[in-house]
Amino acid sequence: HLHFGDLTDGTALYSLLAKIRPTEIYHLGAQSHVRVSFDIPVYTGDATGLGTCRLLESIRDLKLPCRFYQAGSSEMYGGLLNDSLLSERTPFHPRSPYGAAKVYSHWITVNYREAQGIHASNGILFNHESPRRGETFVTRKITRWLAQHVKGLTDQPLYLGNLEAKRDWGYTPEYVCAMWRILQQETPDDYVIATGETHSIREFLDEAFGCLGIDWSKHVKIDPKYYRPAEVDVLLGDASKAAEKIGWVPRVKFKELVQIMVKADIKGEEHGLTEIWDRA
Ligand code: G4F
């Protein structure tokens, strides 16, 4: 069932939870675009940060016997510290209003766990991608453009920003399994979910265009409007706690992930699916 709601509307969230009385809540809602958060920082703080508190406060007030998953983000780290992998023990240093709001969400979740006894856990998920990724995030922007180019549907260049940033990209279906596993634990806790590999946007272009034998440098143009006022240069996570405690290990790595996304977008163009998604 789809119920309408808004993370900025605490009264409506409270009524929904009172009506549904869920036993598990996967709180993935947010203004989740990092670049956009620099343009609308107050709204981002309200939805992405305080939205989490509104949900937790409703659970507390209603005395709901439910488990709560909070979607933390690797954006809470400002990047690698002394070249060590980022883990649950690494201090946060957000570089965007989005990252700052997620740090609030992380700690308010820990606080409701410690102070109110709510079964509340944080998954600190590194970037996760799939053919369903929104088209304004860099991976999907690239694979979608590539599919349109191959099918002769665009004569425009692909405009991108910083190609040197590195991300630890995993495959979303596996990350959703991790969320579920986190909530099945008797004791709530916080976990990093990541692949332990990092690659630049440039490498993503190499792999995506390379698997079709196309030279991306002839098609990609840099548009500074996609640069961020402060960038997270490198993200690389250590998910060994998740492996040990909840038995989660990623299987799909970078090359396979890029190929899954390229193939799906080309297939989507062949079947007119992208057009349907555009209208949805
Ligand atoms: O794909 P992105 O927009 O993802 P970003 O900023 O890493 O955030 C995503 O992952 C987070 C987990 O770490 C989530 F919490 C968050 O909600 C979101 O899902 O950008 C990735 C990198 C950045 O360094 C950006 O500067 O790609 C660079 N980039 C270069 N050109 C671009 C572009 N990003 C976008 N969106 N568009 C470009 O044209």
Side-chain angles (χ1 to χ4, degrees):
H1 296 276
L2 179 63
H3 301 272
F4 289 95
D6 188 322
L7 284 167
T8 64
D9 181 349
T11 311
L13 290 178
Y14 182 94
S15 304
L16 266 185
L17 293 191
K19 191 164 107 193
I20 302 166
R21 299 192 67 81
T23 51
E24 291 186 356
I25 295 180
Y26 294 85
H27 169 38
L28 312 185
Q31 188 304 97
S32 68
H33 201 284
V34 176
R35 173 69 192 83
V36 170
S37 77
F38 288 97
D39 299 332
I40 48 169
V42 175
Y43 174 77
T44 302
D46 196 2
T48 307
L50 282 177
T52 305
C53 190
R54 291 186 182 101
L55 283 170
L56 285 163
E57 187 54 9
S58 299
I59 294 170
R60 187 194 66 76
D61 204 10
L62 290 161
K63 299 188 177 49
L64 279 185
C66 86
R67 296 184 174 188
F68 182 76
Y69 171 87
Q70 201 289 118
S73 165
S74 49
E75 276 295 310
M76 297 188 295
Y77 306 111
L80 282 196
L81 259 185
N82 317 319
D83 287 339
S84 331
L85 267 61
L86 302 160
S87 78
E88 298 81 3
R89 295 174 304 282
T90 311
F92 299 137
H93 182 148
R95 304 259 296 156
S96 63
Y98 168 81
K102 281 289 180 186
V103 171
Y104 172 81
S105 276
H106 177 94
W107 286 116
I108 200 71
T109 299
V110 172
N111 181 256
Y112 272 73
R113 178 166 81 216
E114 293 176 353
Q116 309 296 346
I118 291 176
H119 190 296
S121 299
N122 288 293
I124 307 174
L125 270 56
F126 283 58
N127 297 49
H128 39 290
E129 318 291 318
S130 84
R132 293 186 182 184
R133 182 56 136 156
E135 290 149 16
T136 59
F137 296 92
V138 75
T139 54
R140 185 80 201 292
K141 186 171 166 184
I142 293 170
T143 59
R144 190 166 176 222
W145 184 92
L146 191 51
Q148 290 185 335
H149 171 74
V150 167
K151 295 291 166 197
L153 298 171
T154 181
D155 53 6
Q156 293 297 306
L158 170 60
Y159 289 102
L160 295 173
N162 177 14
L163 305 186
E164 312 310 328
K166 290 181 153 189
R167 291 291 181 271
D168 180 332
W169 279 299
Y171 185 43
T172 304
E174 297 186 332
Y175 284 48
V176 175
C177 288
M179 296 175 196
W180 180 81
R181 281 177 185 241
I182 289 171
L183 276 208
Q184 307 320 304
Q185 306 309 304
E186 258 337 290
T187 311
D189 204 347
D190 308 320
Y191 299 91
V192 161
I193 301 296
T195 69
E197 271 187 30
T198 192
H199 297 274
S200 64
I201 318 301
R202 201 176 273 283
E203 287 172 87
F204 194 99
L205 288 164
D206 285 341
E207 195 55 45
F209 282 66
C211 68
L212 299 174
I214 303 172
D215 177 358
W216 62 263
S217 65
K218 296 197 166 70
H219 301 284
V220 172
K221 290 210 175 342
I222 301 301
D223 185 337
K225 90 170 174 213
Y226 295 113
Y227 289 152
R228 294 163 184 193
E231 176 67 280
V232 172
D233 293 326
V234 185
L235 288 174
L236 177 59
D238 169 7
S240 51
K241 177 177 171 185
E244 192 190 316
K245 305 253 170 166
I246 61 169
W248 182 84
V249 178
R251 310 257 171 236
V252 177
K253 295 290 181 75
F254 179 68
K255 265 180 191 262
E256 194 184 345
L257 170 65
V258 179
Q259 283 169 17
I260 290 170
M261 292 183 71
V262 170
K263 275 187 199 151
D265 267 327
I266 291 178
K267 208 165 156 198
E269 288 299 351
E270 277 161 4
H271 294 89
L273 288 178
T274 313
E275 212 180 292
I276 294 166
W277 292 332
D278 276 349
R279 275 189 263 122

